[in-house]
């Protein structure tokens, strides 16, 4: 039976720790590549159907209206936050994202918009129109990322 001295055990522990650290330093950047590629240059499209529209008083109506959001990165950080160009219907606007998953905010004329994910396929689109009497609507969306 072989016994190790305290000094030998410390040296072996340091060597194991150094190996684990080197493995982490090599593999961590490789694991992040797909996320970085998506955050820095990929245009994302959300193909959605408006399922329900509710007014500020909570009165809701069922809907079945398609809307597709195209989000082109302009200046994006590693976590997906930053500036995008959003387009949908006949609207094009500068958009701010808090992260890759949102929330996303933009303004178009007198309208203020926020798009918030509530799951991988469900989104809330809050629209606030700032006119003489502000009006707000919440659109419940079912979406896919093609």
């Amino acid at each position: 039976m072989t016994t190790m001295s305290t000094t030998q055990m410390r040296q072996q522990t340091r060597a194991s720790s150094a190996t684990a650290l080197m493995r982490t330093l090599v593999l961590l950047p490789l694991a992040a590549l797909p996320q970085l590629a998506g955050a820095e240059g990929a245009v994302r499209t959300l193909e959605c159907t408006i399922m329900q529209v509710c007014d500020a008083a909570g009165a809701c109506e069922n809907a079945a209206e398609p809307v597709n959001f195209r989000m082109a990165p302009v200046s994006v950080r590693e976590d997906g936050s930053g500036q995008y160009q959003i387009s949908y219907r006949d609207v094009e606007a500068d958009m701010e994202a808090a992260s890759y998953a949102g929330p996303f905010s933009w303004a178009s004329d007198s309208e203020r918009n926020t798009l918030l994910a509530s799951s991988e396929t469900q989104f809330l689109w809050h629209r606030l129109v700032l006119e003489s009497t502000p009006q707000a609507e919440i659109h419940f969306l079912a979406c896919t990322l093609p």
Side-chain angles (χ1 to χ4, degrees):
M1 181 172 185
T2 307
T3 56
M4 293 177 66
S5 70
T6 304
T7 303
Q8 289 172 323
M9 285 194 286
R10 285 184 189 143
Q11 289 173 341
Q12 186 176 12
T13 301
R14 284 186 199 127
S16 295
S17 296
T19 302
L21 177 62
M22 289 301 290
R23 189 176 303 132
T24 300
L25 291 175
V26 169
L27 295 178
L28 186 61
L30 294 176
L33 282 177
Q35 294 172 340
L36 293 176
E40 290 179 0
V43 173
R44 292 189 297 163
T45 301
L46 274 176
E47 293 180 355
C48 303
T49 301
I50 300 171
M51 305 303 290
Q52 191 174 48
V53 179
C54 301
D55 65 17
C60 300
E61 292 183 12
N62 290 333
E65 182 182 340
V67 62
N68 296 327
F69 298 96
R70 183 180 184 277
M71 302 174 199
V74 175
S75 175
V76 181
R77 294 177 280 287
E78 289 181 15
D79 64 354
S81 64
Q83 300 293 317
Y84 291 79
Q85 182 74 27
I86 188 167
S87 56
Y88 60 98
R89 297 180 178 150
D90 62 346
V91 174
E92 286 191 20
D94 294 330
M95 179 182 77
E96 177 72 28
S99 75
Y100 186 73
F104 308 98
S105 300
W106 69 96
S108 175
D109 298 324
S110 64
E111 190 174 294
R112 305 298 177 261
N113 298 273
T114 302
L115 188 61
L116 177 68
S118 54
S119 76
E120 290 181 5
T121 60
Q122 303 295 313
F123 287 78
L124 300 174
W125 178 17
H126 180 265
R127 296 174 60 194
L128 174 63
V129 178
L130 299 173
E131 293 179 349
S132 58
T133 303
Q135 296 178 340
E137 293 180 334
I138 297 176
H139 300 254
F140 290 83
L141 308 175
C143 303
T144 60
L145 277 168

